[in-house]
Amino acid sequence: MTLEYSLANLGWRPFFLAQLDLTELGLVTARVASVHRSRLDLLGVSGPFGFKLSGAAKSSDFAVGDWILTDGTLLVRRLDRKSQLSRGAAGATGETQLIAANVDTLFIVTSCNADFNPARLERYLALAAEAGTEAVILLTKADAAKDAEDFRQQALKLRRNLTVLTLDARDSTVAHELGQWCGPGQTVALVGSSGVGKTTLTNTLTGLSGATAGIREDDARGRHTTTSRSLHPIAGGGWLIDTPGMRSLSVAEAGDGIDAVFEDVTELLGTCRFRDCKHQSEPGCAIRLAVAEGRLDEARLHRWEKLSSETRFFTQTPAQAREHERRFGRQVRKSLAVKEALQGKKK
């Protein structure tokens, strides 16, 4: 594949140009292709080159897909991101972990087998919506499924106006099917759990020959083959960011993204009889009525409640966290008191 390393082909946009002042026009502009502990692999108009981090610059400050300015020796600054994909870091730290930057389209990859998980897909959709990135669900292993269309119909219910495609990641026609998102200067990212075919799809789109791992027959799960994020050229002229399989995906500060994915739930919130309705057993609850009438799936409602609670954890202040703990403590003590009273009556 012959590559043309022009800024436009690398994904440069007026959004980034508008951030430069006159004194910066002579600096080297480059895009981050991969991030290492003490250096960055970059792509510029002259091709790939390495850059060693020094001074206050830390690798955690950068993500694959970032744009940076350098004078050839020192890193001057990172440009503001047009979009940023991030998740809650592992453990209950409340911190966020960068996944990728300046992504135009997020390909959410899952397979037509036991890996298909609506709750996980909704998390990825919320992540994309929060970042302002278009999301497309790709259902792989469609050729081996008894009814791939059933999986597609399930996925279509997860968000309004969602694009869902079934495909065989090994098929050379996939590049044509995904062409509208993979053209010159466009950037896509692949996310999904291990074993769903991300590496195979990457190989098909880029012409690479990376290793692929088989599926464990007992649970339809695969083994990790991608261990780090990197920027790869796509045959159609775009760029692809592959990501390691994620065992868990915590949505950090994704309140707006969750609202966008669960529009069928959130548009009912203001129509309950009481403003402080908890949507449990209160009279006049519009959400419980929608569940009772079959207009809203109760399992989907529970998933919305879980995601909403999770993002509150990441956004609440220390004072709010302490107040939440106090309220929870009072609720537990009250429940124990009621339980003890009932046990006393039985005696």
Side-chain angles (χ1 to χ4, degrees):
M1 185 190 310
T2 302
L3 298 178
E4 181 185 344
Y5 291 104
S6 67
L7 288 182
N9 280 1
L10 287 171
W12 186 256
R13 299 281 193 275
F15 173 83
F16 305 113
L17 179 61
Q19 299 180 44
L20 306 185
D21 59 38
L22 292 177
T23 63
E24 295 175 324
L25 295 179
L27 296 174
V28 175
T29 305
R31 197 168 191 197
V32 177
S34 60
V35 179
H36 305 278
R37 180 169 297 180
S38 60
R39 66 180 177 87
L40 305 175
D41 289 334
L42 303 175
L43 296 174
V45 294
S46 300
F49 65 100
F51 191 90
K52 187 174 181 179
L53 294 173
S54 60
K58 300 178 295 183
S59 61
S60 58
D61 296 330
F62 302 92
V64 175
D66 269 333
W67 284 94
I68 63 107
L69 300 176
T70 172
D71 63 5
T73 303
L74 298 175
L75 188 147
V76 177
R77 68 184 179 99
R78 173 182 58 78
L79 298 182
D80 292 340
R81 297 165 177 141
K82 194 172 188 296
S83 64
Q84 173 182 309
L85 296 170
S86 58
R87 65 169 180 165
T93 64
E95 298 179 351
T96 59
Q97 180 184 48
L98 291 173
I99 298 174
N102 302 315
V103 173
D104 299 307
T105 305
L106 184 67
F107 285 156
I108 302 170
V109 187
T110 189
S111 48
C112 299
N113 56 26
D115 179 80
F116 185 88
N117 185 316
R120 187 193 305 129
L121 292 175
E122 286 165 344
R123 286 173 176 267
Y124 284 124
L125 290 171
L127 181 149
E130 185 69 21
T133 298
E134 181 182 3
V136 177
I137 292 181
L138 304 181
L139 298 174
T140 61
K141 310 185 190 300
D143 55 306
K146 292 183 179 180
D147 189 358
E149 180 60 21
D150 178 60
F151 286 99
R152 195 178 82 88
Q153 291 300 321
Q154 290 184 60
L156 284 170
K157 296 177 182 178
L158 300 180
R159 185 180 180 183
R160 295 171 182 170
N161 304 316
L162 179 63
T163 299
V164 181
L165 303 176
T166 57
L167 50 84
D168 177 357
R170 301 165 298 180
D171 194 330
S172 60
T173 63
V174 166
H176 176 73
E177 290 183 63
L178 304 180
Q180 63 177 296
W181 299 284
C182 301
Q186 293 181 293
T187 303
V188 301
L190 296 181
V191 294
S193 55
S194 301
V196 296
K198 296 196 311 301
T199 300
T200 302
L201 185 57
T202 296
N203 296 343
T204 302
L205 291 175
T206 64
L208 298 174
S209 56
T212 57
I215 300 295
R216 299 198 300 264
E217 294 182 359
D218 58 339
D219 60 2
R221 295 178 181 177
R223 301 174 179 85
H224 289 283
T225 53
T226 301
T227 57
S228 62
R229 303 175 184 89
S230 52
L231 194 65
H232 304 288
I234 301 174
W239 296 88
L240 180 147
I241 301 173
D242 193 8
T243 66
M246 299 180 189
R247 291 185 176 87
S248 63
L249 176 64
S250 178
V251 288
E253 302 180 14
D256 291 340
I258 294 170
D259 289 347
V261 174
F262 289 87
E263 285 182 303
D264 51 340
V265 178
T266 56
E267 66 187 11
L268 294 171
L269 293 178
T271 61
C272 295
R273 182 186 301 177
F274 301 108
R275 181 179 297 180
D276 60 347
C277 183
K278 298 297 186 294
H279 319 300
Q280 299 299 323
S281 58
E282 296 87 348
C285 175
I287 288 181
R288 300 312 309 181
L289 178 62
V291 171
E293 293 180 346
R295 293 182 285 113
L296 179 63
D297 179 54
E298 188 160 17
R300 180 167 165 81
L301 173 61
H302 290 327
R303 296 196 297 269
W304 168 77
E305 291 172 336
K306 183 176 181 179
L307 284 178
S308 298
S309 175
E310 187 175 304
T311 196
R312 281 196 298 271
F313 166 78
F314 283 99
T315 57
Q316 65 185 358
T317 65
Q320 290 172 327
R322 289 193 294 272
E323 177 61 22
H324 178 78
E325 290 177 359
R326 283 195 290 269
R327 290 181 180 178
F328 181 73
R330 286 197 297 269
Q331 183 177 355
V332 170
R333 289 192 292 273
K334 183 178 179 181
S335 298
L336 290 174
V338 171
K339 183 178 180 180
E340 290 174 355
L342 291 174
Q343 291 175 340
K345 288 183 178 180
K346 290 180 180 179
K347 292 179 181 179

